[in-house]
Each structure stands twice: as C-alpha cells, then as structure tokens.
Amino acid sequence: MVQQTAMDETSRPQSIVAVEGVMKRFGRFTALNDINLSVRAGEKIVLCGPSGSGKSTLIRCINHIEKHDAGRIVVDGVELTDRMGDINNVRREVGMVFQSFNLFPHLSIVENCMLAPMKVRGLSRAEAHERALGFLRKVRIHDQANKYPGQLSGGQQQRVAIARALCMQPKIMLFDEPTSALDPEMVKEVLDIMVELARDGMTMVCVTHEMGFAREVADRVVFMDRGAIVEEADPETFFRAPSTERARDFLGQII
Ligand code: ADP
Ligand code: MG
C-alpha cells in the first residue's frame, strides 16, 4: 500500500508537489542541497540554471527515477519513500517529457500513446485508441498516427511524446529541456503546444532555457546553481532585476 501522509502543510491537496529540505548525493558529490519547492495545482514553474546545477536531478527525484537521500518529497499527497509499495501509483500521475523523445521505435505513433493507458490505467484497446487519437489531435499530429517514430521529424516526435504523456491524464507534467535536442525551426511547434497546455490549466514544471516561453507562461522562475535554489521570482522580476550575481551571469550568457 502507498503510504498516505497526514494532511499537514506540505501535503495539503492544492500542493501537487512539495519538496522539503531535499538532499541528493552521487558518492561524495552533492547534486541537490536543501531544496525546497512547492508546486500548487495549476501553477507553471520554469526551472533554469547553468549546466550541472541539478535541474534534471531535481525533476528525476520528483518522478522518483532518482531517490533523494534526505528531506521529503510529497506528490499528490503521497510521500515518496523507499517503503512505498508501488511507485507506479504516484508516477502515473506525473507526466514526463525528456530532451530525447524516448518513443518506442517498434510501435506506431498511436500505439506509443495507447500502451501505458492500457497497461497502467486498464483501458480497453478501443478506449485507449480513442483517447490516443484525441491527444494526437491536440498536438496536431493525428494524421501521422500509423507511422513509426523514425518516420517523423524531431519536433513531431516530441509532440507525440507530449501526447503520450497526456494520455495518462497526469496531474502534473514535468519537462526536461524538451526543445534542446531540436533543430531551431522545430522549437516553436513544441513550445506552442506547451503554451496551449499551460493555458488549459495544466500544472507544469519545465526545465528550459527558452526565456520567451518563461515570460509567457511561468508563474515563477526558479533559478538553480550548484545544487541549490538561488533565486525565485515572477518572470518579469527575474529577467528585469535578478537579485543575485549568479543569475545575472547566467542571463548574460543565454540572452
Ligand atoms: P543539470 O540538469 O542542471 O544540467 P544534472 O541534474 O544533470 O544537472 O546534474 C547535476 C550534477 O550531478 C552534475 O554535476 C552531474 O554531473 C551530477 N550527476 C547527475 N547524475 C549523476 C549520476 N547518475 N552519477 C553521478 N553524478 C551525477
Ligand atoms: Mg539536465
């Protein structure tokens, strides 16, 4: 059984993710140092910072792909611990989109989207198929449903990856540099979908250096450096007047 925590401050329902005092080490290297972050329902957070600052590690801890060493992570009211019976109960509420699209190459586009809803949510083939086509339509790729990932462009594959995650009807979507591996002309088609998703009210944590996207949709920009959250602000404040030198240096490099 999944452990249900008491309805204390960190696990109250409007907080989809609560990260409290989280530490993560790889051997003697501290990748995350006392991370505190709460994501409310419907909130959009852009996570940025230099390469190696711990952004992916944090995202991966929230999805329990990595296990944190200390502190607490509560996702949708359930604390992630080693004692958890079935991490899939939590993970299926969390959609994840990676830099590399990670589609199953031997499955068609629509089958990629049907697999988890059938296996994990128990949908019938027909139900999964209908849902898959609905979300493929949403990312404007339904006309490619019977092709295989290798036949699609990078931008198209990433849109499929988003549709595939949405087919699980997650409570939150985590994006880890979803446009970094794309040719420049394909970045916009993926960002456009992410903007629409944000408008639909999805709760999102996006690691991205697309500052136009951050300005447009982020409620909060969280800036990390060397395993710590150094600065948090609304995008307007963050871009206009970052309060730390490290954030100023970072912005100077990417803008
Ligand atoms: P970012 O996504 O911000 O570029 P990462 O979270 O990927 O940074 O990595 C943060 C730090 O942790 C880096 O120094 C990286 O080398 C280290 N790291 C990440 N994953 C591992 C791992 N599995 N083993 C050892 N070190 C790792
Ligand atoms: Mg990363």
Side-chain angles (χ1 to χ4, degrees):
M1 278 297 287
V2 176
Q3 228 185 335
Q4 202 77 33
T5 58
M7 280 302 202
D8 61 9
E9 265 239 301
T10 58
S11 59
R12 59 180 178 232
Q14 63 266 39
S15 175
I16 303 279
V17 171
V19 176
E20 272 191 353
V22 161
M23 308 283 291
K24 173 68 189 173
R25 293 185 193 84
F26 294 109
R28 292 170 62 190
F29 176 77
T30 301
L32 296 178
N33 188 8
D34 192 22
I35 297 288
N36 295 285
L37 180 70
S38 163
V39 187
R40 291 185 299 278
E43 201 174 14
K44 295 100 184 71
I45 291 181
V46 162
L47 194 55
C48 64
S51 177
S53 56
K55 306 178 298 294
S56 294
T57 303
L58 175 55
I59 290 274
R60 291 162 63 83
C61 282
I62 292 173
N63 206 14
H64 215 51
I65 302 172
E66 296 283 1
K67 294 187 173 69
H68 53 292
D69 298 310
R72 299 174 74 213
I73 301 180
V74 181
V75 177
D76 193 28
V78 179
E79 181 166 359
L80 308 185
T81 67
D82 288 341
R83 302 179 301 280
M84 289 175 63
D86 189 358
I87 177 61
N88 289 327
N89 286 338
V90 173
R91 206 174 271 158
R92 68 186 175 189
E93 306 300 341
V94 180
M96 177 98 198
V97 175
F98 302 88
Q99 181 174 334
S100 52
F101 329 119
N102 295 356
L103 298 175
F104 304 114
H106 60 291
L107 295 180
S108 71
I109 297 309
V110 70
E111 286 166 346
N112 261 278
C113 296
M114 291 165 63
L115 191 65
M118 285 169 65
K119 280 199 161 170
V120 182
R121 293 268 194 221
L123 264 61
S124 71
R125 247 195 113 68
E127 289 166 336
H129 191 261
E130 190 186 338
R131 186 184 289 185
L133 286 182
F135 283 109
L136 287 170
R137 189 176 298 277
K138 187 170 175 56
V139 302
R140 295 187 280 281
I141 205 124
H142 51 288
D143 53 339
Q144 315 280 331
N146 295 317
K147 288 193 177 170
Y148 285 80
Q151 296 173 286
L152 268 53
S153 73
Q156 290 174 321
Q157 288 189 56
Q158 193 59 301
R159 284 188 281 145
V160 172
I162 293 172
R164 181 176 63 174
L166 292 174
C167 281
M168 287 295 282
Q169 302 185 318
K171 296 221 166 89
I172 182 169
M173 287 279 284
L174 309 176
F175 292 86
D176 193 356
E177 303 207 35
T179 60
S180 298
L182 299 177
D183 293 334
E185 72 271 19
M186 292 169 190
V187 169
K188 186 172 181 305
E189 67 189 62
V190 171
L191 289 177
D192 284 349
I193 298 293
M194 291 170 64
V195 169
E196 280 176 35
L197 208 53
R199 299 237 161 94
D200 290 347
M202 178 60 78
T203 309
M204 297 162 74
V205 177
C206 310
V207 177
T208 181
H209 291 165
E210 292 292 338
M211 294 300 138
F213 173 81
R215 278 178 194 273
E216 195 169 345
V217 310
D219 298 304
R220 249 189 309 159
V221 176
V222 173
F223 172 72
M224 288 181 71
D225 193 22
R226 289 178 243 164
I229 292 178
V230 174
E231 194 163 333
E232 260 188 79
D234 64 275
E236 213 277 315
T237 306
F238 180 74
F239 293 115
R240 187 178 42 82
S243 60
T244 61
E245 189 158 344
R246 286 193 260 174
R248 278 194 291 277
D249 283 351
F250 171 74
L251 287 171
Q253 281 164 21
I254 63 156
I255 290 178

